[in-house]
Amino acid sequence: MEKLLLFALMLVVWVTAHAQQMDEEMAMKALFQGKHAVNRAAHAAAQQMDEEQLARGTIWIDSTRASAAAKEYLMSNLSLDSNLKPLAGSYLQEPIEIVVFKVINADETFPYIYRNSTYNYEVTLEHPGVILIIHLDYPRAFSALEPIDWYVKGAAELSG
């Protein structure tokens, strides 16, 4: 009887540990997908040149078009609707939030050092570019883990 009880207890411990490990692996996959989405969105945003300024010889990112491109890429890569809420079938369950979207244009002195102590982020840009930080909640598959959320950070710049 004692061996049966010990076996049942060990089975519960093993299943809990396995569930936690699976949840941690899925969380890392979600983080990597979020990071790739942010990098793609920042890169797309940085490509939105102001043609009038470019005709005058100034490299200038159109902030409105850049914001729209970043949002579009986030929607596409993370399966979100226009309000940044997950679509049916998305691995996310909570909407994402764009907490920082900053366009750095040629009116700044380069190299430009962006520092944000709130989100513990620092990046140096050599050319005009875009900085993007989103807040992402991970939908746990099991309750073995505490709730997980990240501030996913990225930047992209135009090459000179």
Side-chain angles (χ1 to χ4, degrees), residues 7-82:
F7 176 74
L9 182 62
M10 291 303 293
L11 184 63
V12 168
V13 169
W14 181 81
V15 168
T16 303
H18 187 65
Q20 182 174 356
Q21 180 182 0
M22 283 178 41
D23 218 6
E24 287 173 355
E25 288 175 12
M26 290 188 306
M28 286 296 97
K29 182 179 178 186
L31 175 60
F32 290 144
Q33 286 180 325
K35 180 61 176 160
H36 291 307
V38 165
N39 288 343
R40 290 177 184 128
H43 182 76
Q47 302 301 311
Q48 305 305 312
M49 302 296 296
D50 183 322
E51 284 125 22
E52 288 180 20
Q53 291 284 350
L54 191 57
R56 293 187 206 122
T58 304
I59 296 176
W60 199 269
I61 299 169
D62 182 323
S63 298
T64 305
R65 287 180 39 215
S67 177
K71 186 176 178 182
E72 182 181 328
Y73 269 71
L74 288 172
M75 289 167 40
S76 176
N77 285 289
L78 296 175
S79 298
L80 305 170
D81 67 12
S82 60

Side-chain angles (χ1 to χ4, degrees), residues 110-132:
F110 292 94
Y112 179 86
I113 300 172
Y114 174 81
R115 288 185 181 98
N116 188 320
S117 59
T118 303
Y119 301 109
N120 193 26
Y121 187 56
E122 181 175 317
V123 65
T124 301
L125 300 177
E126 300 292 334
H127 305 284
V130 171
I131 295 155
L132 176 63

Side-chain angles (χ1 to χ4, degrees), residues 75-97:
M75 289 167 40
S76 176
N77 285 289
L78 296 175
S79 298
L80 305 170
D81 67 12
S82 60
N83 295 319
L84 302 179
K85 293 181 181 175
L87 297 172
S90 172
Y91 70 93
L92 297 175
Q93 293 176 359
E94 298 294 323
I96 69 157
E97 179 186 3

Side-chain angles (χ1 to χ4, degrees), residues 96-115:
I96 69 157
E97 179 186 3
I98 298 173
V99 294
V100 173
F101 180 80
K102 185 169 178 71
V103 175
I104 310 301
N105 270 312
D107 57 342
E108 299 290 346
T109 304
F110 292 94
Y112 179 86
I113 300 172
Y114 174 81
R115 288 185 181 98

